[in-house]
Amino acid sequence: MGLPFPIFTWWNGATFGTRMGLRGKKRIGEDSLGNLYYEGGRDPNGIPRRWVIYKGSNDASRIPPEWFSWLHHQIEGAPEEVLPPVRGWEKPWVPNQTGTELAYRPPGALEKGGQRVRATGDYEAWTPDA
């Protein structure tokens, strides 16, 4: 199309104005998905302001837990510096799968055909005459 969409759209990445607003802010790090994290300035309560610039679509579920903790001031330094190393038994982080083909659908869900295993016979439906 030829138009510079980052100037006008926010849903597929940071706008030009957002990038200009990050001038002078300190880049703290980058996560495994390529999202960039910045810190700079203070809010009226004196708490440092923190930002995430998404790589790709703006979806808050695409922030890994360790960076979520940093964004919400649960930890002070960058996760690589403050948190312990990942243990072998920890599962890798995955983004929210709701609304995708990979979403969990229990037996009996319409997307899985709407059929479920029949009840074992210990269920008796209520009737007003009983």
Side-chain angles (χ1 to χ4, degrees):
M1 197 155 201
L3 291 174
F5 282 107
I7 293 175
F8 304 109
T9 62
W10 55 266
W11 53 86
N12 56 2
T15 62
F16 179 72
T18 300
R19 293 203 182 270
M20 293 302 290
L22 290 174
R23 287 182 302 157
K25 308 300 188 256
K26 182 179 177 188
R27 182 175 164 190
I28 301 298
E30 181 176 349
D31 65 21
S32 59
L33 298 173
N35 299 327
L36 302 175
Y37 297 89
Y38 291 88
E39 182 176 55
R42 295 194 175 272
D43 71 2
N45 297 319
I47 299 171
R49 292 186 184 258
R50 295 178 174 175
W51 292 270
V52 59
I53 302 298
Y54 297 99
K55 180 175 183 178
S57 64
N58 292 342
D59 180 8
S61 71
R62 295 182 61 234
I63 298 176
E66 61 272 9
W67 282 103
F68 179 89
S69 297
W70 179 81
L71 277 172
H72 294 273
H73 301 279
Q74 295 171 346
I75 60 175
E76 281 306 312
E80 299 89 22
E81 301 166 0
V82 180
L83 297 178
V86 177
R87 297 187 173 92
W89 48 265
E90 291 183 80
K91 288 185 174 183
W93 174 84
V94 293
N96 187 349
Q97 302 297 315
T98 303
T100 69
E101 290 296 320
L102 300 174
Y104 171 73
R105 292 181 175 85
L110 294 177
E111 294 87 354
K112 290 187 103 175
Q115 300 297 320
R116 63 174 181 82
V117 179
R118 304 238 358 126
T120 60
D122 59 351
Y123 172 76
E124 182 179 329
W126 177 85
T127 60
D129 299 328

